[in-house]
């Protein structure tokens, strides 16, 4: 799909598409049919384009009515404009590192955990290798008797602070901010008044705030981005048929969801009998165990163990009945699989797995306005969109 890259990790946005993208576009036409979104997808993803260029072109057109602007921050000019932030991360590395360690300690003391680990060697920067284009972590090496000046290391190469400042001056695009510095770099360039970010990006701010204060002298406000699950009509019908809500789908995997559907599909008489026996068992066991505890502590512990085994066997009866129903009605497993793949693929939110191009191809670029309106809702929380 793209031209062969070096074995080292390179920036995904810079990978160049080759002719192998064409059969994938053809397959998308076959699966999704004709639409403005498919026309745009074909125009954007052509051989010779980079992933970044193709992605930007598609989403610029998808959200054209909303005035979306896309900025590629990987270029030389952008890095030259943001050089003061990158220079601060080089020249004030020890100060910023100490501030992050102090913040991490405070977070842990308050019962939280740091999203990004800060080790003795970690820094806020990457260095792009001049030969391979690989993005390498820059590590700090402490001074020693043999090397009285602090050193940096990227891959197998070592650099002095002066070396890195020289790279920044001559080839600024080779110095790249890491996760904690990235929002500071962005806000220096754009004068951002509000950041709308995903869960991880927002969580970074607990650490990044100290970098904002020391480098920019201010901290940008942050709000969570829209989080939503799109429910297509066929999947919606399955949810209604089996009386399953989205919250419950999020709690299950494909196998456990299939058992749940099977349990709900059992004949009413069977469900009533299982429910009656289970309720009676719980009602009788509770007082009995308490009575035996009052008689003797050891006897009470034994009673709790026995009662736990009885409840386990009761649940086993429920599972056996559900499994029998599932084997008898083969569509239940298919339905569960379809629901899981559509709404909770692999136990992950749909928005983390599914590409938006599919939904734009099915429902048109008008979907962008629906999502934009949802995003303006001041009430946080996961949204459900019935298609």
């Amino acid at each position: 799909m793209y031209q062969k890259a070096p074995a080292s990790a390179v920036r995904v946005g810079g990978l160049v598409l080759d002719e192998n993208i064409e059969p994938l576009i053809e397959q998308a036409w076959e699966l999704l049919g004709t639409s403005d979104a498919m026309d745009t997808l074909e125009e954007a993803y052509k051989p010779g384009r980079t992933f970044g260029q193709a992605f930007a072109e598609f989403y610029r057109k998808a959200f054209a009515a909303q005035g979306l602007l896309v900025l590629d921050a990987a270029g030389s000019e952008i890095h030259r404009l943001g050089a003061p932030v990158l220079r601060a991360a080089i020249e004030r590395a020890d100060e910023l590192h100490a501030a992050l360690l102090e913040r991490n300690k405070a977070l842990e003391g308050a019962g939280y955990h740091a999203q990004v680990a800060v080790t003795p060697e970690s820094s806020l920067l990457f260095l792009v290798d001049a030969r391979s284009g690989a993005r390498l972590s820059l590590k700090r090496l402490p001074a020693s008797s043999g090397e009285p000046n602090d050193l940096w290391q990227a891959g197998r190469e070592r650099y002095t602070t002066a070396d890195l400042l020289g790279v920044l001056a001559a080839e600024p695009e080779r110095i790249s901010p890491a996760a904690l510095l990235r929002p500071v770099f962005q806000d220096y360039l754009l004068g951002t008044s509000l950041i709308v970010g995903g869960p991880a990006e927002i969580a970074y701010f607990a650490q990044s705030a100290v970098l904002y204060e020391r480098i920019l002298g201010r901290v940008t406000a942050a709000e969570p981005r829209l989080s939503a699950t799109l429910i297509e009509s066929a999947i919606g019908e399955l949810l209604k048929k089996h009386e399953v809500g989205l919250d419950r789908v999020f709690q299950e995997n494909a196998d456990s969801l299939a058992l749940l559907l099977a349990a709900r599909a059992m004949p009413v008489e069977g469900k009533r009998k299982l429910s009656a026996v289970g309720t009676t068992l719980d009602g009788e066991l509770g007082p009995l165990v308490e009575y035996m505890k009052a008689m003797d502590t050891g006897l009470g512990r034994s009673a709790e163990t026995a009662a736990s085994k009885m409840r386990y066997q009761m649940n086993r009866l429920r599972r056996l009945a559900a499994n029998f129903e599932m084997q008898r009605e083969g569509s239940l497993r298919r339905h569960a699989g379809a629901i899981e793949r559509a709404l909770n693929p692999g136990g992950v939110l749909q928005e983390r797995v599914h590409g938006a191009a599919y939904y734009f191809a099915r429902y048109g670029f008008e979907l962008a306005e629906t999502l934009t309106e949802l995003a303006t809702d001041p009430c946080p929380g996961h949204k459900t969109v019935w298609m």
Side-chain angles (χ1 to χ4, degrees), residues 89 93-94 96-98 100-101 104 116-125 137-142 152-153 178 180 207:
D94 292 338
L96 300 176
H97 188 269
L100 284 172
L101 288 176
N104 284 7
V116 179
V118 180
T119 67
E121 294 183 346
S122 63
S123 81
L124 298 167
L125 300 167
S137 294
L138 268 170
K139 297 180 180 179
R140 292 280 283 149
L141 300 179
W152 303 71
Q153 183 167 344
L180 293 179
Q207 295 167 278

Side-chain angles (χ1 to χ4, degrees), residues 6 10 128-134 136 154 156-157 159 171 174:
V10 297
V128 177
D129 185 81
R131 294 182 297 275
S132 68
L136 307 172
R156 296 181 179 180
E157 300 293 328
Y159 304 85
E171 303 172 276
R174 290 185 56 206

Side-chain angles (χ1 to χ4, degrees), residues 131-387:
R131 294 182 297 275
S132 68
R135 195 178 68 159
L136 307 172
S137 294
L138 268 170
K139 297 180 180 179
R140 292 280 283 149
L141 300 179
S144 65
S145 56
E147 294 286 355
N149 298 316
D150 287 350
L151 289 177
W152 303 71
Q153 183 167 344
R156 296 181 179 180
E157 300 293 328
R158 291 190 174 189
Y159 304 85
T160 65
T161 295
D163 291 335
L164 293 182
L165 292 174
V167 172
L168 181 61
E171 303 172 276
E173 70 278 7
R174 290 185 56 206
I175 305 291
S176 176
L180 293 179
L181 188 64
R182 200 169 297 133
V184 182
F185 181 73
Q186 165 193 283
D187 292 3
Y188 174 82
L189 289 168
L190 303 177
T192 312
S193 59
L194 175 69
I195 285 182
V196 180
E201 294 168 312
I202 298 297
Y204 290 162
F205 269 71
Q207 295 167 278
S208 290
V210 297
L211 304 178
Y212 271 94
E213 292 163 356
R214 283 164 173 75
I215 298 174
L216 301 186
R218 62 180 173 82
V219 179
T220 302
E223 293 287 343
R225 63 159 169 76
L226 169 68
S227 178
T229 294
L230 309 185
I231 303 179
E232 298 187 86
S233 58
I235 298 300
E237 289 301 318
L238 290 179
L239 294 179
K240 293 173 183 176
K241 176 180 179 178
H242 297 291
E243 300 180 340
V244 180
L246 187 61
D247 289 347
R248 187 60 188 268
V249 173
F250 287 160
Q251 298 172 23
E252 310 292 341
N253 57 40
D255 290 335
S256 64
L257 183 59
L259 280 175
L260 175 64
L261 301 191
R264 295 190 174 184
M266 287 172 55
V268 173
E269 182 181 2
K271 288 194 283 189
R272 284 177 179 169
K273 289 183 180 297
L274 284 168
S275 177
V277 172
T279 300
T280 301
L281 181 65
D282 284 336
E284 296 293 338
L285 281 177
L288 177 60
V289 170
E290 292 302 318
Y291 172 74
M292 299 182 82
K293 281 182 180 179
M295 292 179 62
D296 179 78
T297 302
L299 182 61
R301 285 196 296 269
S302 297
E304 283 184 333
T305 300
S308 176
K309 292 179 179 178
M310 293 179 197
R311 292 189 178 98
Y312 170 81
Q313 291 298 332
M314 185 66 238
N315 287 329
R316 184 168 180 269
L317 282 176
R318 294 187 180 103
R319 290 195 298 273
L320 287 171
N323 270 316
F324 176 80
E325 187 66 29
M326 187 164 55
Q327 291 169 7
R328 188 173 69 172
E329 182 55 71
S331 64
L332 293 172
R333 187 174 291 280
R334 293 196 301 274
H335 290 177
I339 292 171
E340 189 265 349
R341 288 191 298 274
L343 306 181
N344 191 37
V348 179
L349 285 176
Q350 176 197 83
E351 64 193 33
R352 306 295 296 178
V353 178
H354 294 182
Y358 163 80
Y359 294 98
F360 284 126
R362 290 290 304 276
Y363 303 101
F365 285 145
E366 295 80 9
L367 178 60
E369 186 60 28
T370 300
L371 298 176
T372 302
E373 290 176 1
L374 279 176
T376 62
D377 187 344
C379 298
H382 192 77
K383 309 294 183 184
T384 303
V385 184
W386 294 82
M387 309 301 289

Side-chain angles (χ1 to χ4, degrees), residues 6-134:
S8 304
V10 297
R11 188 174 66 89
V12 173
L15 294 177
V16 180
L17 300 169
D18 63 17
E19 64 279 359
N20 289 317
I21 191 64
E22 293 174 342
L24 295 179
I25 295 295
E26 287 298 322
Q27 187 176 11
W29 277 110
E30 294 172 6
L31 292 172
L32 300 175
T34 302
S35 68
D36 290 342
M38 274 307 309
D39 287 336
T40 302
L41 196 70
E42 184 176 45
E43 291 171 6
Y45 286 82
K46 288 184 176 296
R49 295 270 182 86
T50 65
F51 269 114
Q53 289 168 339
F55 179 91
E57 180 172 340
F58 180 82
Y59 284 98
R60 267 199 302 265
K61 293 186 178 178
F63 287 91
Q66 291 73 37
L68 176 68
L69 299 176
V70 181
L71 174 67
D72 184 355
S76 175
E77 288 307 310
I78 294 296
H79 278 243
R80 196 177 303 281
L81 289 171
V85 171
L86 303 175
R87 186 179 300 110
I90 297 171
E91 295 177 336
R92 299 165 59 189
D94 292 338
E95 171 200 341
L96 300 176
H97 188 269
L100 284 172
L101 288 176
E102 184 178 348
R103 174 53 58 90
N104 284 7
K105 185 177 179 180
L107 287 172
E108 292 166 2
Y112 299 98
H113 72 278
Q115 287 290 111
V116 179
V118 180
T119 67
E121 294 183 346
S122 63
S123 81
L124 298 167
L125 300 167
F126 290 100
L127 177 67
V128 177
D129 185 81
R131 294 182 297 275
S132 68

